[in-house]
Amino acid sequence: MKNTTLVGVVSNYIAPDAAESLRQAIEEAGGTEIFAVGRCDRNFIVTDISVLARGNLTAAPVVDCTLIRGQVVIHNHPSGELVPSDADLAVASMLADRGIGFWIVNNDCSALRSVIDPLANEAGAIVIDPADVRHIFSSEGPLAAGFEGYETRQGQIDMALAVSSAFSDSAHLVVEAGTGTGKSLAYLIPAFLWAKRNKVRICVSTNTINLQEQLIEKDIPALAASLGEPLSAALVKGRGNYLCLRRLNRVLDGEESMIEPRYRSGLAQVVEWAVETESGDRSDMPFEPDPEIWSMVCSEGDMCLRARCPNYGQCCFHKARESMESAEVLVVNHHILFADASIRSQMGPEVDRAVLPRYNAVIVDEAHNAADVATEHFGRQASRISLVRLTNAIYRRERSAATPANALVAASGGSQSPQADYGVLVRVRSNLYSTWPGELGRRRAEACLDLIDIEAIPGVIRAREAGETFFDEVRRAIVGVSNSGAERTMRITEEVKQSEDWDGKVWPAHERFAVALDGLAKCLQSLAALLKGEEDEPTGAAPAKDVGDDREDYGSGFDEADFPEIVELLAYAGRARELASAIRFAVVADAPGHVFWAEISGPGPRSNVRVVAAPIEAGEAIAEHVVGTQQSVVFTSATLAVGASFDYIMHDIGLDLVDPNQVRQITIPAPFDFKSQALLAVVDDIPDPDTRGWEEAIANAVISILDASDGRAFVLFTSYKLLGRVADAVESHLAGSRIALLRQGKAPRHALLSEFRRDMRSVLFGTDSFWEGVDVPGEALSCVVMPRLPFAVPTAPLVQARIEHIAETGGEPFNQYTLPAAVLRFKQGFGRLIRTSSDRGAVVVLDPRIVRRRYGRKFIDALPGCETYVGGSEDVSERLYRWLLNPPH
């Protein structure tokens, strides 16, 4: 906080007219002490004066309640001595806590001493004094006292100052902070200073749960201990991460009608955990639950009874949400951030509660992923899996497990096929019988049962059959695009929509499917209304004929708390309508600014099929829903700039749509000696990708390199197909060399990483998820191999659409999109290697285009100044071996 306590020229603090008003006020008071409030312009020059009190210091506390942040109290000393008294200092301290300044002048206003300057911005918020930030990070500051082995890092201080300045000036900031900067503390300290001084909340958003947990479990507690005061933070997860006790109890109460026998052992495991857990958080499970079982017992917003729930007092989700109400910092993922921002855009940014409680500023870490997450969030999709899960939850019929009785029937020649019914409709029917409402409500119960049997169950079957037909037609259309049947994705263009397969088969199938879903939703809603007693008359055909207008014949309806299936019926009705809407949106495929496609994942006729709609560019949505609603947004990552330019990421996250005077950029280099720690080696005797002999040459080069590195390597691919072929080609050689080959897809990601860290002679073959967010310091990872430069697949629908959009608007797609996206991905892969100042290793690129094409310099120039070597495969392997064996001294 600025506290010069030096005598200054009055004109540097008070405008001439205001100074004259102050002199006159002192003269009118007979030269005795007065207290005045000065109102400042944006440069903190006082332009307006009002007298608060005359007499002595004791009057000041009485009137200070009328002051606001950014103003300054001006007090005169008739003696002309401007040294602040103890009483002056006490008042100044009290005012400083509120961002209000305190100045002393002589009677003729020719001299002024600033005891405390007003620290507030135009929005009235108390700004962060850079001196406070420098002190915290200094060698004599609280971090040095609280962190063992603490070393000041200028890059960390520079970033913290930049974040503080952005908050104080209500500006937006883009900051690339290289690995080792300590960027978490560099933004957390300004965040807490800002939150505490202004009594506001800050939202920190990340892309990965690993970083979220690091912030909550490690960084924030350590920071609190160092600063010596509590720092309140809450990790906010989506509802689906928490156990719902009411739903679990419902499953247990009606296990026979809800859970197929094959799931019951998995349910028992969940129940055993539920008895012991305090948080109800899925991440605390010592095992991975079956997705189908978890979907039956997890918390879901459209099925929540809230305060009416019998388990509300023990609710795991609401307990977690209570902690965020008092938190100064919310730690969330990008999906939750965009969900909250989307709701606020509809309800207004000033609303106190959307998904999250109201916050004042946002820090987006791992910001290079923000646009991809926004694209997914603001898009729409419908899939066969979503259809199956929805209809199964409502009603399904399954074959029963074999029993001695069933076997006896079969042995006697009987044709009985034992079956069992499951789903919410089955539970509603069962509960109606078990809680039969007596004669008064008999007609209502009968109407409900008829509606279930005559309309609802057939409606589920129709929707399921219509949906399977629709997705089968989409599958055939996708396969028909390619004669080989190998293409698994199809962009829905005008040409595709006019084709015989689409117009004659997919289109009518989608209409029948959407109509069936709408009919099912209407039926479920009618059933819920009938159960609640909100209908004008029963909607079932048979009861309507037998019943007159006397409403008493139906009795009173059920309450949702006593009959929770009502909430489920309404939830499934809403989901059916949303699925129908998404199907229509994706198949009609005419919304401007969107790209549409269909895709197949998994083998066989029962594989999943999706139709997808996504915004071509997410930047506009981010600018509107996030940046446009906050005083300050900080975007940070280790990989945001391409060379010295932020143009690509600025467009990606929509900051090019914001007033450029409100946007700042800064690059913080990593504090490592890359010249001695990292070798960039390029193999230049391999054919260009996708040419004859390329895959064989890649496999041979990988063998040579992994022999030279003795394992200890990541091999980062751009496609599963290439990964599989190269892995198959090198597996036997690696086995003979006793180098363990770990392949993505053969085990969970965390298990692969754990084994890689444990086995010092292992190699890990991975694709997308291993290019970033992986931290393996030390010798375990001494080499990163990139068989191919990470250009996006040009035939991917979203990539195609973005290229077309840039070209249509007069841009250069390769230079504005394709190349910078690949360079950032390349930087992420390179960043896996050097994680600490003691790490040492090599990145080997097997794509000769990096030295043969002019654009290759963009990749090399984007890296820190490391040692570089270009040569044939054998030469590179020899250079790699010597680099790892003989570190420079």
Side-chain angles (χ1 to χ4, degrees), residues 219-298:
D219 294 342
I220 292 174
L223 179 57
S226 297
L227 297 182
E229 62 177 309
L231 303 177
S232 173
L235 174 59
V236 183
K237 299 182 180 181
R239 270 186 179 269
N241 290 282
Y242 294 95
L243 175 71
C244 174
L245 295 173
R246 180 186 65 80
R247 296 189 74 201
L248 176 62
N249 290 334
R250 296 296 296 178
V251 170
L252 295 176
D253 290 343
E255 184 173 343
E256 293 298 322
S257 62
M258 293 187 69
I259 301 291
E260 294 96 317
R262 67 178 182 271
Y263 292 133
R264 287 175 187 166
S265 62
L267 174 63
Q269 198 175 20
V270 171
V271 171
E272 184 178 351
W273 166 78
V275 172
E276 300 294 333
T277 183
E278 294 183 2
S279 68
D281 187 342
R282 177 176 175 169
S283 66
D284 291 342
M285 285 182 161
F287 58 92
E288 184 62 27
D290 185 288
E292 293 298 326
I293 294 174
W294 184 251
S295 69
M296 297 178 192
V297 300
C298 68

Side-chain angles (χ1 to χ4, degrees), residues 396-414:
R396 66 192 181 282
R397 175 164 289 179
E398 302 280 351
R399 290 184 179 275
S400 296
T403 65
N406 295 339
L408 183 61
V409 171
S412 64

Side-chain angles (χ1 to χ4, degrees), residues 48 55 65 78 88 91 116 154 162 181 183 211 343 475 594 617 726 834:
D48 181 69
C65 60
D88 288 329
V91 172
I116 293 291
Q154 189 57 48
T181 298
K183 63 181 170 67
L211 180 52
I343 291 175
R475 180 185 288 105
H594 285 70
E617 294 191 331
V726 173
I834 305 299

Side-chain angles (χ1 to χ4, degrees), residues 607-871:
S607 57
N608 190 35
V609 179
R610 290 199 311 161
V611 288
V612 184
I616 295 174
E617 294 191 331
E620 184 175 344
I622 296 174
E624 177 183 355
H625 299 302
V626 180
V627 178
T629 62
Q630 300 298 319
Q631 288 187 20
S632 182
V633 181
V634 175
F635 294 91
T636 185
S637 169
T639 50
L640 292 179
V642 178
S645 173
F646 285 96
D647 289 351
Y648 172 75
I649 197 67
M650 289 280 288
H651 180 75
D652 213 30
I653 58 180
L655 285 182
D656 60 341
L657 303 174
V658 177
D659 179 358
N661 294 320
Q662 290 298 107
V663 181
R664 302 168 181 179
Q665 305 168 355
I666 184 173
T667 300
I668 308 294
F672 302 138
D673 180 8
F674 284 97
K675 194 70 176 176
S676 65
Q677 288 184 254
L679 169 70
L680 174 66
V682 179
V683 177
D684 66 354
D685 63 352
I686 289 178
D688 281 353
D690 300 322
T691 60
R692 179 178 296 180
W694 172 65
E695 285 190 6
E696 182 180 358
I698 288 292
N700 290 334
V702 167
I703 288 174
S704 178
I705 290 161
L706 296 182
D707 281 345
S709 68
D710 197 26
R712 302 181 296 166
F714 277 2
V715 184
L716 301 177
F717 294 87
T718 56
S719 74
Y720 282 103
K721 183 166 67 174
L722 181 62
L723 183 155
R725 289 178 178 175
V726 173
D728 291 342
V730 306
E731 190 168 20
S732 60
H733 176 89
L734 294 180
S737 300
R738 298 184 180 278
I739 296 175
L741 173 59
L742 307 173
R743 297 171 59 167
Q744 185 175 351
K746 295 294 186 181
R749 183 173 182 266
H750 66 87
L752 290 172
L753 286 171
S754 177
E755 179 61 18
F756 180 80
R757 293 185 180 103
R758 187 196 65 81
D759 187 347
M760 292 291 290
R761 300 194 74 243
S762 62
V763 297
L764 196 158
F765 283 23
T767 58
D768 285 350
S769 65
F770 286 92
W771 283 77
E772 60 177 296
V774 177
D775 191 10
V776 185
E779 290 187 22
L781 180 57
S782 297
C783 183
V784 174
V785 183
M786 301 183 193
R788 184 173 190 157
L789 293 176
F791 286 105
V793 179
T795 57
L798 191 56
V799 174
Q800 278 186 343
R802 286 176 175 169
I803 289 173
E804 291 170 6
H805 175 72
I806 294 171
E808 289 168 358
T809 54
E812 298 179 355
F814 183 76
N815 291 325
Q816 290 178 225
Y817 171 59
T818 308
L819 180 59
V823 170
L824 287 185
R825 195 63 166 164
F826 181 73
K827 287 176 65 177
Q828 290 158 10
F830 181 90
R832 297 314 95 215
L833 183 68
I834 305 299
R835 309 300 297 175
T836 71
S837 59
S838 60
D839 288 345
R840 193 167 183 278
V843 172
V844 181
V845 180
L846 306 183
D847 191 334
R849 292 177 297 176
I850 197 171
V851 291
R852 293 178 185 170
R853 301 286 194 272
R854 288 177 60 186
Y855 62 72
R857 288 303 314 177
K858 289 285 188 181
F859 291 91
I860 296 173
D861 291 345
L863 301 179
C866 53
E867 185 75 14
T868 304
Y869 181 82
V870 180

